[in-house]
Amino acid sequence: MTQNPDRDDIDPEDGRPESATQRADRNWNEILQELRVTQTGTQLISGFLLAIAFQARFGTLDGFQVGFYLVLVVFAAGSTALGLAPVALHRQLFRHHEKAQSVAIANRLLKINLALVALLTSGVVFFVFDVTLGPTAAIVAGAGILLVLALLLLVFPAAVLSRLRRRAD
């Protein structure tokens, strides 16, 4: 029986029998799927934000609300840029045998993007509540959503990972 010279046998992290190249390809595809999810959400929020500026009521916003709105637009643009950066990186490194490096960098960019999308989402909730119900409701709603997002994006995955590690021991 001949062995594949590119095979690293069993991945120590997840036990899959795949080569380093196969693992990098799989990880890259998983990152792309995750980027598609975040990009869709960011596009929806961006469209919502862009439409606001062209509404008649926009002129009635106070200085804080306009400033906060512009911060949200910058967050949306930043999130879009972070979502596109791994694709641009891949294009530059394509056929240079640097897929593992692309995966590592894209992983970091995606984590930053998730944090920015969480801030953007809670900021949009804050903004909508501020415009419709006032600052007190905005603080409660915005902080509440930020807490929920922190629990879902940070605490929950860490708890699952901790539980899996305890089970493996």
Side-chain angles (χ1 to χ4, degrees), residues 78-118:
S79 182
T80 298
L82 282 169
L84 293 173
V87 177
L89 176 69
H90 182 262
R91 281 293 92 211
Q92 290 298 315
L93 297 181
F94 185 67
R95 293 193 177 172
H96 289 280
H97 308 289
E98 294 294 337
K99 179 77 64 91
Q101 184 70 11
S102 296
V103 167
I105 293 168
N107 180 52
R108 285 188 289 261
L109 291 171
L110 184 54
K111 287 178 180 180
I112 294 167
N113 195 24
L114 285 171
L116 188 56
V117 169

Side-chain angles (χ1 to χ4, degrees), residues 41-165:
T42 303
Q43 287 172 340
L44 289 169
I45 292 173
S46 296
F48 163 75
L49 289 171
L50 294 176
I52 289 174
F54 299 101
Q55 300 301 313
R57 188 164 177 208
F58 188 79
T60 67
L61 300 180
D62 63 32
F64 172 79
Q65 290 169 331
V66 171
F68 196 83
Y69 165 80
L70 293 173
V71 168
L72 293 174
V73 170
V74 170
F75 281 5
S79 182
T80 298
L82 282 169
L84 293 173
V87 177
L89 176 69
H90 182 262
R91 281 293 92 211
Q92 290 298 315
L93 297 181
F94 185 67
R95 293 193 177 172
H96 289 280
H97 308 289
E98 294 294 337
K99 179 77 64 91
Q101 184 70 11
S102 296
V103 167
I105 293 168
N107 180 52
R108 285 188 289 261
L109 291 171
L110 184 54
K111 287 178 180 180
I112 294 167
N113 195 24
L114 285 171
L116 188 56
V117 169
L119 290 174
L120 174 62
T121 302
S122 60
V124 167
V125 169
F126 175 93
F127 179 76
V128 170
F129 273 73
D130 188 40
V131 171
T132 58
L133 297 176
T136 303
I139 291 168
V140 170
I145 291 299
L146 186 59
L147 177 63
V148 167
L149 288 167
L151 289 171
L152 290 173
L153 301 178
L154 297 172
V155 176
F156 177 66
V160 169
L161 183 59
S162 175
R163 185 176 181 193
L164 291 173
R165 286 182 176 158

Side-chain angles (χ1 to χ4, degrees), residues 7-11 14 16-20 22-23 26:
R7 184 156 300 268
D8 290 339
D9 290 338
I10 305 298
D11 182 350
D14 64 11
R16 294 175 192 244
E18 59 188 1
S19 69
Q22 290 169 325
R23 186 175 317 111
R26 178 178 52 82

